Amino acid sequence: MSWRKKLLEKLPERDPRPIYVAAFGLLMSVVSYAIPDERLAGAFFGSGLITAAFCVVYWLANPTGGLD
């Protein structure tokens, strides 16, 4: 394959769904501040951050967005 073909090939577009789930995880972490129970708020905060971090890492590591 020539160097021109390599330059002209488009990179695969990333699937935006993991980013949507990561945004939901961050929203869940923010909403945890409105929960009066401290243990439940901590669980929501931690699970929201873990979900967001996992989804961002998955999105960065898998450029095609599929499990094929």
Side-chain angles (χ1 to χ4, degrees):
M1 186 180 278
S2 70
W3 61 273
R4 282 189 185 203
K5 273 192 172 178
K6 287 182 182 178
L7 286 177
L8 294 176
E9 284 183 2
K10 291 185 179 181
L11 293 175
E13 292 187 20
R14 293 185 189 268
D15 188 18
R17 287 179 290 181
I19 296 300
Y20 297 151
V21 176
F24 178 75
L26 289 177
L27 180 66
M28 196 166 77
S29 295
V30 170
V31 169
S32 72
Y33 285 105
I35 299 174
D37 184 16
E38 203 171 304
R39 288 185 182 179
L40 187 62
F44 266 74
F45 183 76
S47 61
L49 286 183
I50 290 169
T51 300
F54 176 77
C55 288
V56 168
V57 168
Y58 176 78
W59 183 76
L60 290 173
N62 191 4
T64 59
L67 296 174
D68 301 338

